[in-house]
Amino acid sequence: MNKLHYIPLLLGLGLGAFVITSCVDNDYDIENIDKTIKVGSGEFKLPTSSTNKIKLNNLFSLAEDGAIIKKNEKYYVHTSGAADPQSIEVNSITISSPEITPINETTMAIVNANYGEDKGNVLPRNMVVDMIKDFTYDFSFGEDVHFSFTGQDAAEPVTPEIVSFKNVGFDGQQIKFDIYLKNPDLAHQSIPCIYFEEFYIDLPFGLAIPSATFKPGLNAAAFLVDPVEYDDPDTGKKRIKLLFYEALDEEETESSEMAARRVFEVKKGGEYNVATIVIDVTKIQMSDDSFFEFTPPTPGVEGAQGTISLKNDVARIRGTIRIKGSDISESDINAAFPPSEPTITVSDYSEIAARLFPSSLNFKGDGTFWNTQTNNADISVKSFSGKISRKIDHINDIELNNLPDFLTEDDVKLDLANPQLYLKLDCDIPTEIKLLDLKMEAQKQKGGVSETINIGTIDYTNEYYMDGGVQKKKPLMLQLAPDITKLDKPEDEGWATENAIEKPVQISNLPDLLKEVPKSISIYRGNHEDLVVELPDCQDVAVGRTYTVKLDYMVNCPLEFGQDFKISYRGDETGLNLGGDFNELDVDGIGIEAKITSNIPLKVKLNITPIDKNGVALTGLRIDKYLNGILQPGDLEIPAGTTANPSTAKIGFKIVSPGTGKISDALKDTSAQQLDGFKYSAVLEQGVSNEALSPDTYLQLEDMTITLLGGITYNDKDKK
Amino acid sequence: MKTNIRLWVAAIALSFSGAALAQQFSSSYFMEGSLYRHELNPGFVGAQGYVSLFALGNLHVGVNGNLGAGDVLFNRNGKTVTFLHPDVTPQDALANIKENNKFLENLSMPIISVGFKGFGGFNTFAINVREFTGVHFGNDLFEMLKELDNRSYKVGEFGVNVNSFVEVALGHSRKIGDNLSVGAKLKFLVGAARVNFEMDDVSLDLESTSKWTATAHAQGEVNVTGLDIKTKTETRSDGTTYESFDKVDIKNPGPGGYGFAVDLGAEYDFKDIVDGLRVSMSLLDLGTINWKETHVIANEGKPFVFNGFDNIQVKDGDGKKIGDQLDELKDGLKDLYNLENKGNTGSSSHGIGVTWNLGIEYEIPTYKKLSFGLLSTTRFQGDYTWNEERLSINYAPARWFEFNVNGALGTFGPSVGWMVNLHPVGLNLFVGMDHMITKVSKQFIPLRSNADLTLGINIPFNMQPKKTN
């Protein structure tokens, strides 16, 4: 037991020996070792690496619906679309209440105007007083005897507007009056001829009328009208109708009778614009039920005269005046009448309609002036033949949307060898069509106009084709290109040429339109006016319906470039977020060298800049660029190559610190400017002539070495 | 303060984890009063019979290595830094790093040890638990880390060896004639476990800019009876498959193997020629253990070639993504150390290492309390071989008390040792060190990898004979 007491003694001796025999070296403080380490000190190269062939097809990252497509191993700028269809609304056309009427229910009284104090109650001469039931009265109406119409002074025009009746009165034994145009000097411009569709004079029975003549116009031959007795369905009494013109079916509007019914041609001067109606009256028959009543003269008084007056009846002039074959210009018509007078208006002449029917719109053709109903004398146009100058809304711009990044940079020059622009015009009015003074204007990406080209007036005549037994109209397909012998139109749906009227138009400066990669292309007329579609030869176009003008466009430009061709691929990769990893690491620099091969037929200029999170170039980090071993102050220029003869160059990047620091200083969280990514660019320009950009052209990095410069230091930040 | 405590706890734990870790206690070689000299040379005839206290007869704590903390730690600008610190030049950093660096741990713990006179000589019986652990590696790894350059690095070999067994030793020594004494020990060995893992030809060729090549041949042997290795099928980077190990279990454990070994020793007193001169020599552990089961694991041994990243996919091209290529690189590197279970290849025999001691002692004839000794020790154990030349000054002022101081040069560098031995009748108590801890950090952590402490308590049966001048 006692021996066990030696155990602690031994341990104590041992530990004591351990402590006593050793000395403490304060240079070694294991508890506070600075764990900063540095691996390597010179240049350390990783084995060479290579990339795949970085094909343009992958580099461009073309979107499915982008404006760049590849076809037949070529790239095309290709986009298509349609401007909003433009309507040509041919509204119902009504000329409201032109005041041609009324000529209705007009009571005609035969009055001895000379009967009175001055001239006495002069009976007609040779009046046989006792001839009550059947007498014949022959006399010539004197100047002082005339017809008057109820409510109106016979001396005043019957109608105030286009047509007036004048000089109504007895002339001997005739009732005579004239029909003439008011203000013909103006009216003749738009109303060349007046016809009667139906025209008759309805007289009370009792007048013996052996003949009635109608003489339309001063130089026209008169024709006779036979009086017709008929029973008035309203009163049951006999009446007399002088039917000058009888209504025709509408289909007969062009019959020869129309010409015969011309009342007169409207001519300047007025003296010819008169139609004369002469009704011979040989006697008046009176009886108890006569329309006339007779007041005998005072018996036994010499010279006493009786009177004849119309009893409760009227003489009516009825009819429909029709104007045919006129060029009616609304503005002309309106100009023909003073503003104070009722104007001729087009129904629904709204603001939109105003654009549809501007002052330049003319329509020729038949218009029918209806005058069959009392106080409803509107003139309606059912169809027209003539010319339409249709100003249509500003059509949508050709938008070059979905352009890949490399076409949206400021310095991009889309100098193309043979760009092609297709416009398809489809108008369903069956006529010849003109697009007047067409121009196109390229709108820059950031506003402003880069180029304007003049296409001129495009016209064509409709053609038709049969599709399943249905006749369809061929649209016009304008094919604009600098070289129309090398058109390369893709067969997109709706752009088949067999059912279109192809019209190649050589536009030598079309490339200029695209050179600055427009945001959009505007189409307009002349000096930035709305487009005008002119339909110069419309035939019997029905009114009251909507016609459509449709304009489709397709841009199709193979990327065959000219000398100014230049595209840029710029971008940045950010969000490296290396700070956490590099807070404790120091790296002097990193070098990258590689052989680059290019068969892209354009010179490629490469650049790369380190940036911080705000996109600002770093001051604590610099990338030196080398080409074939020579430091390059600017871009690295890789010569253009071809498929048969790719170009090669040796490029190098050295990421260093401009000062004495390490590049990792710019990687740390504590850096005022911490590396967050790189801004890079690849500019492709100055291509090989007659070459096109192909999806399979590529860049490739080979023999690529990455060199760590000056080793890697891990900093024990606790010891800093 | 807490850190200090932790460091101390760690140091003490290290000490006891290698309880009785021992090379041999060379300081005792020329201490005639030391009861365990026969462990160093069975030709020594013991002067005192003894019996050891259980497990405390010859307790030795220590490790040896030729690379210490002081070799890889430096003071620069008042700070303690590692050899990889940028302020440490490559020359300074690599100056103390050897071509073959090794750390050794050796356990020889007597459970019971008895020595007694009889049969015309001195007899010993001991049951010892012995265990050896060694780690070795080359210096190119350090060079590569420090200087990382585009050149070829022969990292060389890396190995770990663990060998544990129990020995039952019977020793006898006697004097033959007046000058010679000889002795031998016969040891019956019962193997517990053996693990040997070697990576040969580890090289990394970074010289070429077109390719890097990494080579490593790795093989491990495990000699444990009843070891049950569950396998699973793995796929190499080239698509071939192999059986890896999944789980390790031990079924029906038992002795791993048996073997025999002998220790031989002799001492000759040249007093007839030079009074006081004695020369001794011993060969220890001449023997092998035949292990019943040998479980082998090995890598494929093919070099891994990295030709750089070829055809890196950029912008969705036809190439291969850099991430995938990095994965392939990692898979290829993994193949270097992916170990295949080759299965139990049956029995195998392995030596336990041989120690050769050659001692020359000169005792002052006119003052026999003082002697000088020179001990040359070489341990032959493959990659773990070491050598040491130790000079001792021994002084025994009384029959029951002696001490010495000594210094050594060798594989593990210079060292200074000492021993104090008290051995009156009925009690033997000794303490000593082969490798004094000459320099420690502020936290008392040795800056060299050589440190040991030996102490023991035994019960001697008789008094040390008195020396006469």
Side-chain angles (χ1 to χ4, degrees):
Chain A
M1 189 69 186
N2 288 337
K3 288 163 186 153
L4 293 178
H5 291 163
Y6 291 109
I7 294 174
L9 175 62
L10 279 173
L11 289 173
L13 279 171
L15 288 173
F18 178 86
V19 173
I20 292 166
T21 61
S22 60
C23 63
V24 175
D25 188 340
N26 286 319
D27 284 348
Y28 294 91
D29 184 358
I30 292 177
E31 189 181 8
N32 292 297
I33 293 177
D34 182 347
K35 292 182 282 292
T36 298
I37 62 172
K38 182 177 186 181
V39 176
S41 56
E43 292 190 352
F44 183 67
K45 291 186 176 180
L46 276 61
T48 54
S49 300
S50 66
T51 68
N52 62 330
K53 292 180 177 176
I54 309 166
K55 296 182 178 179
L56 283 188
N57 191 35
N58 301 113
L59 197 63
F60 285 175
S61 300
L62 300 179
E64 286 285 327
D65 57 349
I68 299 292
I69 64 166
K70 53 180 179 175
K71 186 179 177 186
N72 299 329
E73 301 306 315
K74 279 185 182 177
Y75 283 115
Y76 290 80
V77 178
H78 181 94
T79 187
S80 59
D84 293 336
Q86 298 295 304
S87 298
I88 298 180
E89 294 177 47
V90 181
N91 290 358
S92 296
I93 303 170
T94 302
I95 301 174
S96 303
S97 302
E99 304 292 347
I100 295 172
T101 57
I103 312 173
N104 64 316
E105 300 293 329
T106 301
T107 300
M108 180 176 67
I110 300 171
V111 180
N112 184 353
N114 293 325
Y115 184 78
E117 291 182 357
D118 294 339
K119 295 184 180 180
N121 293 325
V122 179
L123 286 171
R125 290 187 293 261
N126 304 320
M127 184 78 182
V128 179
V129 176
D130 55 358
M131 291 175 61
I132 296 175
K133 289 189 177 180
D134 185 14
F135 70 95
T136 299
Y137 175 67
D138 291 326
F139 68 95
S140 296
F141 292 110
E143 292 180 356
D144 52 353
V145 176
H146 63 273
F147 285 106
S148 67
F149 294 90
T150 301
Q152 295 184 51
D153 189 330
E156 294 299 318
V158 174
T159 57
E161 300 304 334
I162 298 173
V163 180
S164 298
F165 293 87
K166 284 188 175 179
N167 301 323
V168 178
F170 289 104
D171 180 12
Q173 291 183 317
Q174 293 177 322
I175 300 171
K176 182 182 176 182
F177 54 96
D178 297 336
I179 304 171
Y180 76 106
L181 280 176
K182 181 184 177 185
N183 204 2
D185 288 352
L186 294 173
H188 88 281
Q189 297 175 21
S190 56
I191 308 176
C193 298
I194 292 178
Y195 295 80
F196 281 118
E197 176 69 21
E198 183 180 56
F199 182 69
Y200 63 88
I201 297 176
D202 185 18
L203 296 171
F205 185 78
L207 294 174
I209 301 173
S211 68
T213 61
F214 184 82
K215 186 180 181 182
L218 186 63
N219 299 318
F223 61 92
L224 293 174
V225 174
D226 293 329
V228 177
E229 292 181 6
Y230 75 104
D231 294 327
D232 187 333
D234 296 333
T235 62
K237 294 181 178 179
K238 284 185 182 297
R239 294 186 64 86
I240 299 167
K241 176 185 282 185
L242 295 172
L243 183 60
F244 297 97
Y245 295 109
E246 189 175 9
L248 297 173
D249 293 337
E250 290 184 4
E251 290 73 13
E252 298 178 33
T253 54
E254 289 299 328
S255 70
S256 59
E257 286 192 39
M258 288 300 297
R261 293 178 181 186
R262 182 185 302 164
V263 177
F264 41 66
E265 291 186 13
V266 178
K267 294 185 176 179
K268 194 172 182 179
E271 62 270 29
Y272 303 109
N273 302 318
V274 178
T276 304
I277 298 172
V278 178
I279 305 169
D280 295 328
V281 181
T282 57
K283 57 185 178 183
I284 298 173
Q285 298 174 341
M286 287 173 284
S287 60
D288 289 342
D289 57 352
S290 169
F291 288 93
F292 297 94
E293 65 180 2
F294 172 67
T295 302
T298 303
V301 178
E302 187 179 352
Q305 295 181 350
T307 61
I308 300 170
S309 62
L310 198 59
K311 296 189 300 182
N312 300 322
D313 205 344
V314 294
R316 295 180 295 234
I317 300 172
R318 295 183 178 184
T320 300
I321 297 172
R322 186 177 184 189
I323 299 171
K324 178 177 170 58
S326 301
D327 289 335
I328 297 177
S329 164
E330 180 185 325
S331 58
D332 291 346
I333 291 173
N334 281 317
F337 301 98
S340 60
E341 296 183 352
T343 58
I344 296 174
T345 57
V346 176
S347 298
D348 303 323
Y349 193 84
S350 63
E351 185 179 353
I352 294 174
R355 288 200 300 275
L356 295 175
F357 293 99
S359 60
S360 59
L361 172 66
N362 298 312
F363 62 93
K364 294 178 181 177
D366 295 336
T368 302
F369 293 71
W370 296 99
N371 190 27
T372 56
Q373 296 178 7
T374 303
N375 298 322
N376 184 8
D378 292 349
I379 301 173
S380 297
V381 177
K382 294 183 175 178
S383 65
F384 67 88
S385 298
K387 181 176 76 174
I388 286 180
S389 290
R390 168 75 167 91
K391 184 182 290 186
I392 58 179
D393 275 352
H394 174 74
I395 66 169
N396 305 48
D397 292 346
I398 298 173
E399 299 284 351
L400 291 178
N401 293 325
N402 297 325
L403 286 173
D405 292 343
F406 63 88
L407 287 182
T408 57
E409 298 291 337
D410 290 343
D411 56 349
V412 165
K413 293 290 182 193
L414 202 58
D415 182 16
L416 301 174
N418 194 34
Q420 293 152 46
L421 189 62
Y422 297 83
L423 299 175
K424 188 170 67 174
L425 182 69
D426 198 353
C427 179
D428 59 357
I429 297 180
T431 184
E432 179 187 357
I433 296 173
K434 285 184 178 179
L435 264 174
L436 300 180
D437 194 12
L438 201 61
K439 290 189 176 179
M440 300 182 85
E441 189 173 80
Q443 307 292 329
K444 291 180 182 178
Q445 295 284 344
K446 294 182 179 176
V449 175
S450 61
E451 192 63 42
T452 302
I453 62 168
N454 184 26
I455 299 173
T457 295
I458 303 298
D459 65 341
Y460 74 105
T461 302
N462 281 320
E463 296 177 12
Y464 299 87
Y465 67 99
M466 299 302 292
D467 181 11
V470 179
Q471 187 185 55
K472 292 186 176 177
K473 198 164 118 358
K474 290 183 177 181
L476 170 68
M477 191 183 299
L478 284 178
Q479 301 168 326
L480 313 178
D483 184 353
I484 57 176
T485 65
K486 292 181 180 175
L487 293 174
D488 188 16
K489 186 180 73 62
E491 294 300 318
D492 287 15
E493 185 178 354
W495 289 86
T497 52
E498 61 266 25
N499 295 326
I501 302 168
E502 293 182 82
K503 195 174 181 68
V505 181
Q506 182 172 2
I507 308 291
S508 57
N509 60 342
L510 187 61
D512 297 339
L513 197 69
L514 299 170
K515 194 172 279 186
E516 290 195 28
V517 192
K519 180 184 179 187
S520 60
I521 298 172
S522 304
I523 303 174
Y524 59 89
R525 178 195 177 201
N527 187 21
H528 291 92
E529 302 167 61
D530 287 343
L531 279 183
V532 171
V533 178
E534 189 172 273
L535 312 170
D537 190 20
C538 294
Q539 297 296 325
D540 197 19
V541 177
V543 300
R545 56 161 289 188
T546 299
Y547 300 92
T548 303
V549 176
K550 193 165 178 287
L551 185 68
D552 295 343
Y553 61 83
M554 178 169 66
V555 177
N556 190 64
C557 309
L559 284 185
E560 295 169 347
F561 38 79
Q563 276 302 307
D564 292 338
F565 184 87
K566 178 180 180 181
I567 59 178
S568 300
Y569 187 81
R570 288 186 173 84
D572 53 51
E573 293 288 345
T574 55
L576 284 181
N577 194 24
L578 294 173
D581 297 328
F582 278 84
N583 278 343
E584 296 169 346
L585 286 180
D586 275 338
V587 182
D588 283 359
I590 296 174
I592 301 170
E593 290 183 334
K595 182 183 84 172
I596 189 166
T597 303
S598 168
N599 71 354
I600 299 173
L602 289 161
K603 180 163 71 180
V604 180
K605 295 166 70 174
L606 300 173
N607 207 338
I608 185 167
T609 307
I611 55 174
D612 65 10
K613 65 182 178 182
N614 298 316
V616 179
L618 296 186
T619 56
L621 201 62
R622 187 184 72 210
I623 298 182
D624 291 341
K625 300 171 285 291
Y626 295 86
L627 183 69
N628 298 321
I630 301 172
L631 181 65
Q632 302 294 307
D635 297 337
L636 291 182
E637 294 190 0
I638 316 303
T642 63
T643 303
N645 187 23
S647 67
T648 61
K650 190 169 184 180
I651 61 172
F653 298 97
K654 191 175 282 186
I655 306 172
V656 295
S657 172
T660 57
K662 302 170 185 296
I663 65 168
S664 44
D665 292 342
L667 309 181
K668 302 180 193 305
D669 282 337
T670 52
S671 171
Q673 263 193 303
Q674 185 192 6
L675 177 72
D676 190 57
F678 295 94
K679 186 176 285 183
Y680 53 86
S681 68
V683 177
L684 284 68
E685 62 181 0
Q686 297 176 17
V688 177
S689 297
N690 302 318
E691 288 283 343
L693 276 188
S694 158
D696 286 333
T697 53
Y698 64 85
L699 292 170
Q700 186 176 25
L701 296 175
E702 298 172 291
D703 300 335
M704 179 168 62
T705 59
I706 298 173
T707 305
L708 301 177
L709 306 172
I712 300 174
T713 303
Y714 165 81
N715 289 304
D716 183 1
K717 60 182 179 182
D718 292 338
K719 302 300 172 193
K720 285 288 181 181
Chain B
M1 187 60 191
K2 281 184 177 177
T3 306
N4 278 333
I5 292 171
R6 280 204 304 272
L7 290 169
W8 269 106
V9 169
I12 292 170
L14 178 66
S15 303
F16 284 94
S17 68
L21 309 179
Q23 305 294 334
Q24 60 184 16
F25 184 32
S26 295
S27 294
S28 66
Y29 192 88
F30 299 110
M31 297 285 275
E32 292 181 12
S34 171
L35 300 177
Y36 287 89
R37 293 178 75 208
H38 61 84
E39 295 287 355
L40 307 177
N41 188 340
F44 289 144
V45 178
Q48 290 178 287
Y50 72 94
V51 60
S52 68
L53 286 190
F54 180 77
L56 288 175
N58 190 14
L59 184 63
H60 184 99
V61 181
V63 292
N64 290 105
N66 59 358
L67 188 66
D71 296 324
V72 295
L73 294 179
F74 298 84
N75 185 282
R76 291 292 182 272
N77 302 319
K79 290 187 294 187
T80 302
V81 301
T82 69
F83 75 105
L84 290 174
H85 194 278
D87 291 344
V88 179
T89 65
Q91 292 74 19
D92 288 348
L94 302 174
N96 296 323
I97 297 176
K98 316 300 184 297
E99 190 172 341
N100 187 13
N101 302 279
K102 57 189 76 178
F103 292 99
L104 307 179
E105 173 268 326
N106 206 325
L107 162 65
S108 178
M109 182 174 72
I111 303 299
I112 183 71
S113 181
V114 176
F116 60 94
K117 291 181 179 177
F119 309 112
F122 189 80
N123 308 288
T124 58
F125 172 76
I127 299 173
N128 298 320
V129 174
R130 294 185 58 183
E131 183 266 344
F132 166 81
T133 299
V135 178
H136 71 96
F137 51 88
N139 64 346
D140 270 19
L141 180 65
F142 294 86
E143 284 187 40
M144 188 176 75
L145 289 173
K146 186 64 182 173
E147 297 180 334
L148 186 63
D149 201 358
N150 288 108
R151 66 179 180 88
S152 182
Y153 292 94
K154 300 291 286 184
V155 179
E157 297 178 350
F158 168 79
V160 176
N161 183 276
V162 178
N163 201 349
S164 62
F165 55 92
V166 174
E167 67 178 14
V168 180
L170 283 172
H172 178 77
S173 61
R174 63 170 59 219
K175 292 186 77 72
I176 300 175
D178 197 26
N179 298 81
L180 179 65
S181 64
V182 296
K185 275 187 187 175
L186 182 62
K187 298 177 176 177
F188 175 63
L189 309 176
V190 181
R194 175 179 174 273
V195 175
N196 187 57
F197 181 80
E198 290 289 335
M199 289 186 76
D200 302 326
D201 192 22
V202 180
S203 64
L204 199 55
D205 184 359
L206 311 178
E207 190 168 0
S208 169
T209 56
S210 61
K211 68 175 182 180
W212 284 353
T213 305
T215 310
H217 293 98
Q219 177 159 318
E221 290 178 355
V222 180
N223 303 105
V224 174
T225 296
L227 187 68
D228 183 25
I229 299 177
K230 305 285 188 207
T231 63
K232 62 178 178 181
T233 302
E234 300 274 12
T235 304
R236 295 190 183 92
S237 60
D238 62 2
T240 60
T241 59
Y242 67 98
E243 294 300 314
S244 174
F245 50 91
D246 185 19
K247 268 193 319 188
V248 176
D249 200 1
I250 294 180
K251 290 181 177 176
N252 304 317
Y258 302 99
F260 290 94
V262 294
D263 294 349
L264 301 173
E267 183 184 32
Y268 190 84
D269 189 343
F270 287 89
K271 61 186 178 183
D272 300 332
I273 302 169
V274 178
D275 188 18
L277 178 66
R278 289 188 289 270
V279 176
S280 60
M281 186 178 72
S282 66
L283 279 172
L284 309 177
D285 295 334
L286 280 167
T288 62
I289 296 174
N290 183 262
W291 299 89
K292 290 188 281 188
E293 296 180 8
T294 306
H295 300 269
V296 177
I297 54 175
N299 73 344
E300 197 179 23
K302 288 183 179 176
F304 170 70
V305 178
F306 173 51
N307 293 313
F309 299 112
D310 189 31
N311 204 24
I312 299 170
Q313 185 188 56
V314 179
K315 285 286 181 183
D316 303 325
D318 298 330
K320 191 179 284 184
K321 290 180 178 174
I322 185 69
D324 294 341
Q325 297 199 42
L326 278 169
D327 289 342
E328 288 181 4
L329 174 62
K330 284 190 283 187
D331 291 343
L333 287 171
K334 269 177 63 180
D335 285 347
L336 282 177
Y337 60 84
N338 276 336
L339 298 174
E340 182 177 2
N341 180 22
K342 301 286 187 182
N344 182 2
T345 59
S347 64
S348 62
S349 295
H350 300 282
I352 57 173
V354 175
T355 303
W356 179 76
N357 287 312
L358 175 62
I360 301 172
E361 184 182 15
Y362 180 72
E363 187 180 67
I364 305 295
T366 55
Y367 189 66
K368 291 190 176 181
K369 294 178 181 177
L370 181 65
S371 72
F372 300 91
L374 176 65
L375 176 64
S376 173
T377 302
T378 302
R379 175 74 176 176
F380 299 97
Q381 198 175 3
D383 292 321
Y384 308 101
T385 296
W386 57 270
N387 168 262
E388 180 183 86
E389 317 301 332
R390 183 175 295 270
L391 180 65
S392 300
I393 301 172
N394 311 291
Y395 183 57
R399 290 172 62 192
W400 54 270
F401 172 65
E402 60 184 342
F403 67 90
N404 79 4
V405 292
N406 55 77
L409 289 172
T411 303
F412 304 123
S415 66
V416 174
W418 57 271
M419 181 178 177
V420 174
N421 189 16
L422 301 171
H423 47 93
V425 175
L427 174 66
N428 171 260
L429 190 151
F430 65 90
V431 62
M433 302 173 77
D434 277 350
H435 302 276
M436 279 177 59
I437 302 171
T438 54
K439 196 186 284 187
V440 295
S441 69
K442 284 172 70 174
Q443 292 77 24
F444 300 104
I445 305 300
L447 296 176
R448 299 192 60 79
S449 56
N450 295 304
D452 64 358
L453 176 68
T454 304
L455 52 84
I457 304 173
N458 297 274
I459 301 171
F461 300 149
N462 56 295
M463 195 70 176
Q464 174 85 0
K466 184 177 180 181
K467 288 188 177 184
T468 58
N469 287 323

